[in-house]
């Protein structure tokens, strides 16, 4: 388990370094400015002051000799502060620039990873959790950079300058101080590793809480209509209590570490007090050196005190980043081959050749297709019917490469879709599902989604062909109307006609309709059916339907049962056979009542 945690942390650092090295000039400037800032303001000032103290202690200075004697020291202090403050502001600038640039790269990296994962990946995860993990992954980078600059780099600077300046003057004191600081650092690191797993568990609990909230809000209509507010509140409360429990464990572990390291700090300051008190009497240490000893030791111990907070922030950052790191490491279930060409479709003939497909849920493997064969000539309109679970929708998802088959091949115009890019494949297929997939954007943007460069005239024409223009023009803002999340401001029939308008405008040679009218009322269905008839003209069409009246007028109907074709032919021929399709048709038309 510990190795897994370490590996996850290492992988997080790998992704963060990938982003950082793209902006290595900014990162280097940030490191140099931080080093200069600490060196000048924290160590340059006390050093010059120690020289002044030694000068004052050596002999009195007459009033008219102050600027003559101390002029160089005053000039040095002014220059140190000017350049130190300039370094401080450069540090602020470079840190802001690096964080802004890196946030853009990390957001892009996360978005690409999520968008390029398969539908199986998304089906097994909360959308809200993925959003939360992306946000935390980005903010964790900022935490790490800020923690490196405050306090870890200052700690390193403190040790270097303390040793460099004091070692020639009081080597014994420096040796003792370094031993104590080494003990301090070792104990802090040991306690840090113990707390790392607690932070990852706390982050996991936070992600689960975000997922529960997202799931309830996304399905708020179901929650309210079934009066399940209390039930959802219970689920949310359980997740919230888990967050409190894990955060509490992390808090107590951090407090324990803080108490232990505070005790070491007391020991260090006790040692420096003894040396300062007896340094002049025992070793002849000058007053200026005593001032530097105290100032530097106090500075370095303070910096080490901040290590506790820094390690806690490290823990939290790696815990927050762990979820997205695991996603970035996860192999893509559906991936393009290196150098895959775009799919070129001129006719739209589709062949499913000897395909095997199964999906795995946990450790259970479910076979859907075994040596499945289906040929659809270019321009043919084919209906897929059968009982639920027969494989109808799965077949369309395989055609769209939302999942990949295990054996066989799927060809469009003789090209194996597994050898072409996914984007080019899906740009050749207009997909209209049962529930219209609308964005929280304007109606015009939703219609032109498949053809973003479409003119307003083209958008209006597609809306008219989809029987959507009339209701759109009645809206107060017309095509500029925002549809709401998932199109909640529109009725089901209106959403579906916008989806059809989108498919019409995309003008793809292949059309897939997956239960596109099953959830509509009779009046909406008539409008949608008319729009679909227009949409299907001149295209290769696959229509998935439970409502057989939807496919009765198609060129051909394929009846599936258990992932196999049990019947295949036109409507009239299948009804006359008296087989599975005739049985389904009789049930839906009411003949079974006789």
């Amino acid at each position: 388990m510990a190795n897994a945690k370490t590996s996850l942390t290492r992988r997080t650092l790998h992704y963060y370094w990938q982003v950082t090295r793209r902006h290595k000039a900014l990162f280097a400037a940030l490191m140099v400015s931080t080093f200069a800032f600490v060196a000048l303001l924290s160590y340059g000032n006390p050093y010059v002051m120690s020289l002044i103290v030694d000068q004052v202690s050596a002999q009195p200075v007459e009033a008219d000799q102050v600027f003559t004697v101390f002029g160089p020291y005053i000039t040095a202090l002014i220059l140190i502060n000017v350049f130190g403050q300039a370094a401080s502001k450069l540090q602020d600038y470079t840190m802001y620039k690096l964080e802004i640039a890196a946030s853009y790269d990390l957001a892009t990296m996360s978005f690409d990873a999520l968008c390029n994962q398969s539908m199986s990946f998304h089906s097994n995860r909360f959308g809200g959790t993925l959003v939360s993990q992306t946000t935390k992954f980005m903010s964790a980078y900022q935490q790490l950079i800020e923690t490196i600059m405050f306090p870890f780099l200052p700690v390193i600077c403190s040790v270097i300058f303390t040793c460099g300046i004091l070692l020639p003057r009081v080597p014994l004191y420096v040796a003792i101080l370094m031993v104590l600081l080494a003990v301090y650092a070792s104990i802090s690191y040991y306690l840090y590793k113990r707390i790392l797993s607690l932070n990852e568990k706390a982050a996991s609990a936070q992600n689960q809480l975000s997922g529960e909230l997202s799931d309830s809000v996304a399905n708020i209509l179901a929650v309210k209509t079934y009066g399940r507010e209390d039930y959802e509140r219970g689920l949310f409360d359980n997740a919230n209590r888990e967050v409190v429990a894990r955060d509490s464990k992390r808090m107590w572990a951090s407090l324990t570490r803080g108490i232990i390291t505070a005790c070491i700090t007391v020991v260090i300051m006790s040692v420096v007090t003894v040396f300062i008190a007896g340094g002049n009497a025992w070793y002849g240490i000058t007053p200026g050196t005593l001032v530097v000893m105290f100032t530097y030791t106090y500075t370095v111990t303070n910096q080490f005190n901040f290590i506790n907070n820094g390690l806690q922030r490290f823990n939290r950052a790696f815990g927050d980043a762990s979820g997205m790191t695991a996603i970035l490491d996860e192999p893509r279930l559906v991936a393009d081959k290196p150098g895959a060409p775009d799919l070129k479709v001129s006719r739209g003939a589709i062949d499913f050749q000897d395909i095997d497909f199964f999906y795995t849920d946990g450790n259970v493997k479910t076979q859907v297709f075994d040596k499945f064969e289906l040929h659809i000539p270019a321009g043919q309109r084919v209906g897929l019917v059968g009982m639920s679970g027969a494989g109808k929708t799965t077949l369309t998802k395989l055609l769209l490469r939302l999942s990949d088959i295990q054996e066989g091949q799927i060809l469009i115009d003789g090209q194996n879709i597994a050898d072409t890019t996914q984007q080019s494949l899906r740009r050749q297929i207009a997909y209209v599902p049962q529930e219209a997939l609308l964005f929280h954007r304007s109606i015009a943007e939703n219609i032109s989604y498949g053809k973003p460069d479409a003119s307003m005239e083209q958008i209006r024409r597609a809306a008219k062909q989809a029987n959507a223009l009339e209701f759109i023009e009645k809206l107060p803002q017309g095509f500029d109307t925002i549809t709401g999340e998932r199109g909640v401001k529109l009725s089901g029939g209106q959403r579906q006609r916008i989806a059809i308008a989108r498919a019409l405008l995309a003008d793809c040679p292949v059309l897939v309709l997956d239960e596109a009218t099953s959830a509509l009322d009779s009046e909406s269905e008539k409008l949608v059916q008319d729009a679909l008839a227009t949409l299907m003209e001149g295209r290769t069409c696959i229509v998935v339907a439970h409502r057989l009246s939807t496919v009765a007028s198609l060129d051909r109907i394929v009846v599936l049962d258990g992932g196999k074709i049990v019947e295949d032919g036109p409507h009239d021929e299948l009804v006359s056979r008296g087989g599975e399709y005739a049985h389904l048709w009789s049930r839906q038309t009411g003949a079974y009542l006789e």
Side-chain angles (χ1 to χ4, degrees), residues 380-556:
Q380 188 175 72
R381 301 173 303 158
V382 176
L384 297 181
V385 302
M387 301 297 288
S388 295
K392 305 182 298 297
T393 295
T394 301
L395 199 63
T396 64
K397 289 182 176 179
L398 295 178
L399 177 63
L400 286 158
R401 277 198 78 194
L402 299 177
S403 295
D404 265 344
I405 57 178
Q406 281 80 33
E407 295 290 340
Q409 56 184 357
I410 301 172
L411 308 176
I412 297 181
D413 283 351
Q415 302 161 85
N416 189 342
I417 64 172
D419 296 333
T420 62
T421 62
Q422 295 173 64
Q423 282 197 10
S424 67
L425 164 69
R426 293 164 191 158
R427 286 172 181 166
Q428 302 295 330
I429 302 174
Y431 176 65
V432 182
Q434 178 177 358
E435 182 179 353
L437 307 174
L438 301 188
F439 295 91
H440 183 61
R441 300 169 191 171
S442 71
I443 288 177
E445 286 178 287
N446 272 287
I447 291 176
S448 64
Y449 192 72
K451 189 177 181 181
D453 58 346
S455 67
M456 197 62 225
E457 183 57 36
Q458 290 174 313
I459 293 172
R460 287 179 61 84
R461 190 183 307 120
K464 184 176 181 179
Q465 290 175 322
N467 290 328
L469 184 60
E470 183 179 355
F471 87 79
I472 293 173
E473 289 184 332
K474 289 180 180 178
L475 296 171
Q477 293 175 293
F479 281 91
D480 293 327
T481 301
I482 302 299
T483 63
E485 188 176 7
R486 300 185 313 280
V488 293
K489 293 183 179 180
L490 305 177
S491 71
Q494 290 171 337
R495 289 196 298 270
Q496 203 68 328
R497 279 176 276 165
I498 288 176
I500 292 170
R502 177 193 292 168
L504 279 163
L505 188 59
D507 195 22
C508 300
V510 178
L511 173 65
V512 174
L513 305 175
D514 191 354
E515 300 286 358
T517 63
S518 63
L520 304 179
D521 58 77
S522 298
E523 184 175 351
S524 295
E525 183 184 10
K526 177 65 170 63
L527 291 169
V528 170
Q529 288 281 23
D530 291 344
L532 288 176
T534 302
L535 178 59
M536 286 191 282
E537 288 179 5
R539 293 179 172 87
T540 303
C541 302
I542 297 177
V543 182
V544 176
H546 279 109
R547 193 179 296 177
L548 300 186
S549 58
T550 305
V551 298
S553 62
L554 299 183
D555 304 323
R556 174 185 174 195

Side-chain angles (χ1 to χ4, degrees), residues 20-77:
T20 303
R21 69 182 180 185
R22 293 178 196 163
H23 312 284
K24 53 189 175 186
L26 276 176
F27 184 68
L30 177 58
M31 297 280 285
V32 170
S33 60
T34 302
F35 191 85
F37 161 66
V38 174
L40 293 169
L41 298 186
S42 297
Y43 287 86
N45 278 331
Y47 180 75
V48 174
M49 287 303 301
S50 74
L51 298 178
I52 294 174
V53 170
D54 281 341
Q55 183 67 43
V56 171
S57 302
Q59 59 184 14
V61 177
E62 298 297 331
D64 61 346
Q65 294 295 309
V66 169
F67 287 103
T68 302
V69 175
F70 295 111
Y73 302 127
I74 294 171
T75 302
L77 280 173

Side-chain angles (χ1 to χ4, degrees), residues 560-594:
L560 296 177
D561 185 13
K564 298 182 183 300
I565 297 175
V566 293
E567 288 186 298
D568 186 351
H571 167 78
D572 291 339
E573 180 183 321
L574 294 181
V575 170
S576 65
R577 286 182 191 173
E580 179 68 21
Y581 181 80
H583 174 67
L584 293 172
W585 178 259
S586 295
R587 290 185 61 186
Q588 290 195 14
T589 56
Y592 68 94
L593 293 176
E594 299 175 4

Side-chain angles (χ1 to χ4, degrees), residues 5 192-202 315:
K5 301 296 183 186
Y192 156 76
K193 291 189 70 175
R194 290 187 59 186
I195 297 173
L196 184 59
S197 62
L198 296 178
N199 279 278
E200 290 174 355
K201 289 177 181 177
N315 275 330

Side-chain angles (χ1 to χ4, degrees), residues 182-402:
V183 171
Y184 185 107
S186 299
I187 292 175
S188 291
Y189 180 69
Y190 171 74
L191 295 174
Y192 156 76
K193 291 189 70 175
R194 290 187 59 186
I195 297 173
L196 184 59
S197 62
L198 296 178
N199 279 278
E200 290 174 355
K201 289 177 181 177
S204 175
Q206 285 282 0
N207 289 334
Q208 183 65 26
L209 181 67
S210 298
E212 291 290 353
L213 178 61
S214 174
D215 202 32
S216 297
V217 171
N219 296 286
I220 192 65
L221 182 60
V223 174
K224 288 186 172 295
T225 53
Y226 282 89
R228 297 285 277 173
E229 289 91 344
D230 290 343
Y231 174 76
E232 293 298 324
R233 171 65 184 272
L235 291 178
F236 182 82
D237 191 59
N238 288 338
N240 209 3
R241 289 180 184 278
E242 184 67 15
V243 169
V244 171
R246 294 191 178 187
D247 277 345
S248 297
K249 287 183 179 179
R250 177 167 61 180
M251 176 192 72
W252 284 112
S254 297
L255 286 174
T256 301
R257 181 182 62 194
I259 291 170
I260 293 172
T261 52
C263 292
I264 301 173
T265 302
V266 171
V267 172
I268 294 173
M269 291 310 299
S270 299
V271 170
V272 71
T273 302
V274 171
F275 261 87
I276 289 172
N280 183 264
W282 298 335
Y283 304 107
I285 300 173
T286 65
T289 301
L290 293 175
V291 169
V292 171
M293 286 171 61
F294 178 81
T295 305
Y296 286 6
T297 305
Y298 182 74
T299 299
V300 77
T301 51
N302 262 350
Q303 296 289 1
F304 267 78
N305 273 336
F306 292 142
I307 282 182
N308 283 327
N309 178 262
L311 288 175
Q312 185 174 343
R313 291 173 67 188
F314 260 173
N315 275 330
R316 186 182 297 273
F318 283 123
D320 287 350
S322 61
M324 182 51 67
T325 297
I327 290 172
L328 291 169
D329 279 346
E330 190 163 328
R332 294 181 185 176
L333 298 179
V334 180
D336 291 339
K337 293 181 179 179
D342 287 347
L343 178 71
K344 306 293 183 183
V345 180
S346 57
R347 299 171 61 250
I350 301 171
D351 288 282
F352 296 88
Q353 294 185 349
D354 208 26
I355 68 169
D356 288 353
F357 175 72
F358 60 83
Y359 64 87
T360 304
D361 189 0
N363 294 321
V364 179
K365 186 171 78 172
T366 302
Q367 187 83 32
V368 182
F369 295 111
D370 183 14
K371 308 303 179 186
F372 181 86
E373 296 268 353
L374 176 64
H375 171 65
I376 302 175
Q380 188 175 72
R381 301 173 303 158
V382 176
L384 297 181
V385 302
M387 301 297 288
S388 295
K392 305 182 298 297
T393 295
T394 301
L395 199 63
T396 64
K397 289 182 176 179
L398 295 178
L399 177 63
L400 286 158
R401 277 198 78 194
L402 299 177

